[in-house]
Amino acid sequence: MNATVSFTLNGQPVTVASPRDRMLVWVLRDELGLTGTKVGCEAGLCGACTVLVDFEAVPSCSTTLGDVAGKAVLTIEGLALDGHLNPVQKAFQEHHAFQCGYCTSGMIMAAWAFLKKRPKATRSEIVEAMEGNLCRCGAHVRILDAVESAGKAMGGVR
Amino acid sequence: MRRRDFLQGVAVGALTFFFTTPLGSAPIVPTRPGTYPEDFNAYLKISADGRVSCLVGKVELGQGSMTVLAMLVAEELELDPAQVDMVLGDTDLCPWDMPTGGSLTMWHTAPVLRGAAAEARAVLLRMASKALGAPVSGLTLKDGAIWVKATPASRTTFGELVKGRKMERHLGKVKPKPLSDCTLIGRRVPRKDALAKVTGAAQYAGDLRLPGTLHACILRPPAQGLTLATADIAAAERVPGVRIVRDGPLLAVLHPQPDTARKALALVKGTFEGSEPDVDDVRIYQYLVDKAAPGQRVVISRGDVAAGEKRAATVVEAEYRNAYESHATLEPHTSVAKWEEGRMTVWASTQSPFVFRDTVAEALKLGQDKVRIIAQFVGGGFGGKLVGPGAIEAARIARQVPGVPIQVAWNREEDFFLDGYRPAAVVKIRSGLDAGRGAITFWDSTVAGVSQGEAELSYDMQSNRYQAPTVPNLHPLKVGAWRAPNAHTNAFARESQLDALAAKAGLDPVTLRRRLITDARLLRLLDLAVETFDWEPAPGPTGRGIGLACGAWRQGLVVAVAQVTVDKTTGKVKTERFLEAVDVGLVVNPDGARQQVEGAITMCIGQALSEEIHFKGGRILDKNFDTYLLPRFSAIPRIQVVFADNATSVSQGIGEPPVVPVAAALANAVFDATGARVTHVPFTPERVLEALKLVPAK
Ligand code: FES
Ligand code: FES
């Protein structure tokens, strides 16, 4: 049964007609054409689908459309402002913190949500924060380096 | 640097063409399968705006092929790699190529591409010489412009030279630039796919949004070995917008929304026929040994093994095992197929565009020219996307709904169920060391489950015998190529066995290997590894938890050193530090190569410690990442990579070699930490606890 649900997507108001229990990831990818958010497990186990809902990182494969009614959703497409990469994106680019790139959107979103709160995080805190995101290519070391340096760039110099 | 060796493999041809038409409008006549085209038109296009496009039948799996191949072209044409547009894996546009796998890109494709680019450079310089009225020797080029050195105002551009014309030139052999003149090779360059991947713009097969696409979810049997017999589709058909397509045992539920198609599929009730294999993840090892036994054949044999055994002072006999392991690419197999005007186009997540083309054509009984595969960014391969059952499924469905794009995106459960696993295997080795502890007097090895591929390394052995089975269809489950096939299974057994011999004889693992290694390159690499790790080897177990292993993939050599801690109450192994010293000849893109090594180490920590396909009969019990355990961030050690400064050879690929010794180095480290020898990959906490029980009390 379709419902009309409104929320903010990457700073813009949107209204979607879709069942309230439909998973957000399908709404994003299918209805709204934002395919930067990836699907890896559909069970909250890999983090490839991570987006921010009111600044909290959540798996969009396990978050319903109804859950985000009236909230602010941020996806990888909404991170860069006026063509300027966000500090986390920049760090991932510079450190080559990816190989196939399939985990990258989710990694960046999870890292951004975390660093916003804790730019001065230690390496082991970063490890803990990123533990829910899988990377099959083994880009982990560079991802940690990138997140650490993004934290510094965001003013969290330790 | 001995450049000549690198250039030996360069194929340079007689005819060169420039196409000035926009990309995509002039399909290149397919070249004969199995050969590389000799004219560089197939590889390079220079358009009227001066852009250089490079067309290669390889794909970007994450390994950086897009960047390293662009580097080679840019090097010869004096461009920035960013100025080279890469068109990868489109079977209509790109010349025939082998799959992207087996570490072949740098070995096979790179020299051809360099030859083509060198030839293009020569053609451009000759054209400029004519246009500018100056000898070629007086010209210089950079960023798509060519000018007279003495009078820089006298200049032209690639675009002006080729404008509106199609040219054919006849040239002799052209040599690429000498390495001393190279400005890109050996440097860190930004990855070409970086921006697309950090912004979410990179397009994978599942991201295609072709108007009118229907998502197809396919009914799967509950177990391997079973096929669909009957289906009750009444409930699924009642879902608005659903279409059902059947083609023999293939039944697909189609819907414009992927999640609705999946839900509707759950309403289909199927019955299945056939028989499941009578085996499970515990009995599999005996199953393989028994089934292989009648077909065991000696594949390598030197000297008299029985006589060698008589000379041995220290003898070790052991059995090494590894479980089935999945590729588990983060992007499951995905394809979109469209049947239109008698042609099938498939946008695919593939490592082998041309294999996909040929197998789709075969499955649909079409000519190869009636199928086009267009590779997208691929979300990981590792050998798992060398074959394309999902692409064939998409094409079979698309054939029945002309004009409608059909997406088949396996979910995680399907990806585990349908994968061709790294084969489970059993390796038995009995071998001995002489009293002087400097010679292997005999080495007797029998495998079941894999071949003896890369079983030997350059260790001196007075006698040896290697047996492998010739039994067809040995495995009850579907198996396939998984990074460095055979090699990592055999290296795990060999390097564990050597370590066990060393320990039993009271030698440290490095000294024994130094005495046995006959290849100077490997010996130097061993020294480099030990030195970089800053480690004083001593006979194990020392309690320090440091282990070493050597490995090879073709000419690529690797020495790995691991350091672990083992929790003796839980059996959990934590990798603290991991180093690999790597010799793969000329390293074109050092940062890219380093990434491959880091990735291989990380991936194989999962292989060694946690990854295993659990099954009962034909039922695959692993359905998602909750039971199939990939290494997460907390499992990642400090990683060091050093490359041998080796000036003697061509470029070897880097995808495979660093995989080979990882599990063995970790197992040897576990022994050094605890005195327990783990012989079963993955050495999960339970298996480590089992092994700890066998350690004699002090
Ligand atoms: S797809 Fe959502 S967590 Fe894996
Ligand atoms: S880069 Fe491939 S999964 Fe992370």
Side-chain angles (χ1 to χ4, degrees), chain A residues 2 17-19 21-23 25-31 33-48 76-80 83 85 88-105 107-108 123 126-145 147, chain B residues 60-63 188-191 193-195 197-204 206-209 215 256-260 262-263 325-332 334 377-380 382 407 410-412 482-483 590-592 594-596 598-600 602-603 606-607 611 624-626 628 630-639:
Chain A
N2 279 359
S18 215
D21 64 354
R22 200 170 177 206
M23 289 307 167
V25 69
W26 303 120
V27 175
L28 292 172
R29 290 179 54 85
D30 226 50
E31 303 286 318
L34 298 184
T35 56
T37 302
K38 302 299 182 216
V39 183
C41 71
E42 298 171 60
L45 296 165
C46 78
I76 188 74
E77 290 90 349
L79 268 195
L85 293 183
V88 182
Q89 289 176 302
K90 231 186 161 66
F92 269 63
Q93 184 185 36
E94 275 161 14
H95 287 262
H96 290 166
F98 58 85
Q99 289 185 27
C100 79
Y102 201 77
C103 68
T104 311
S105 299
M107 291 283 177
I108 290 175
R123 184 96 168 186
I126 296 172
V127 165
E128 208 177 300
M130 301 299 292
E131 193 70 353
N133 289 67
L134 288 174
C135 173
R136 180 45 155 172
C137 300
H140 301 71
V141 174
R142 284 163 189 255
I143 292 170
L144 294 176
D145 289 347
V147 176
Chain B
E60 177 59 68
L61 308 164
Q63 84 287 33
R188 182 188 203 271
V189 306
R191 279 182 71 124
D193 50 355
L195 185 64
K197 287 179 175 175
V198 303
T199 55
Q203 184 166 287
Y204 301 79
D207 299 338
L208 229 66
R209 286 295 171 270
H215 297 266
Q257 298 174 337
D259 45 338
T260 307
R262 184 69 64 185
K263 281 183 189 152
E325 179 183 6
S326 179
H327 295 88
T329 53
L330 201 58
E331 175 206 33
T334 305
F377 272 118
V378 181
F382 320 119
Q407 178 179 309
W410 292 355
N411 67 10
R412 183 55 54 190
W482 195 106
R483 275 179 115 166
D591 187 65
R594 192 170 292 274
Q595 261 188 310
Q596 283 299 291
E598 292 164 356
T602 304
M603 193 170 190
Q607 172 181 83
E611 290 184 42
N624 215 319
F625 294 126
D626 50 348
Y628 190 89
L630 300 186
R632 291 183 181 268
F633 279 93
S634 59
I636 309 306
R638 187 176 137 215
I639 292 177

Side-chain angles (χ1 to χ4, degrees), chain B residues 254-338:
Chain B
L254 275 46
H255 194 273
Q257 298 174 337
D259 45 338
T260 307
R262 184 69 64 185
K263 281 183 189 152
L265 176 69
L267 302 174
V268 177
K269 298 273 168 289
T271 62
F272 300 86
E273 58 194 10
S275 63
E276 296 180 46
D278 178 24
V279 60
D280 57 39
D281 49 33
V282 176
R283 290 185 288 140
I284 181 65
Y285 305 100
Q286 198 56 48
Y287 174 101
L288 291 173
V289 169
D290 292 346
K291 194 164 169 194
Q296 288 290 358
R297 301 280 180 279
V298 175
V299 290
I300 305 167
S301 152
R302 222 169 283 119
D304 183 341
V305 170
E309 178 153 6
K310 295 208 182 84
R311 294 193 301 273
T314 309
V315 173
V316 170
E317 179 169 344
E319 179 179 303
Y320 304 94
R321 298 170 164 190
N322 66 246
Y324 289 107
E325 179 183 6
S326 179
H327 295 88
T329 53
L330 201 58
E331 175 206 33
H333 286 249
T334 305
S335 296
V336 178
K338 190 175 178 188

Side-chain angles (χ1 to χ4, degrees), chain B residues 534-550:
Chain B
D534 193 16
W535 164 47
E536 289 289 331
T542 67
R544 294 179 298 184
I546 300 176
L548 171 126
C550 304

Side-chain angles (χ1 to χ4, degrees), chain A residues 98-101 137, chain B residues 58-69 88 99-101 103-106 191 193 197 350-351 377-378 380-382 483 589 591-597 654-656:
Chain A
F98 58 85
Q99 289 185 27
C100 79
C137 300
Chain B
K58 296 292 184 200
V59 300
E60 177 59 68
L61 308 164
Q63 84 287 33
S65 56
M66 179 180 273
T67 304
V68 75
L69 295 174
L88 297 175
T100 313
S103 295
L104 292 173
T105 301
M106 292 313 291
R191 279 182 71 124
D193 50 355
K197 287 179 175 175
T350 172
Q351 290 182 247
F377 272 118
V378 181
F382 320 119
R483 275 179 115 166
N589 179 5
D591 187 65
R594 192 170 292 274
Q595 261 188 310
Q596 283 299 291
V597 180
I654 187 78
E656 260 69 20

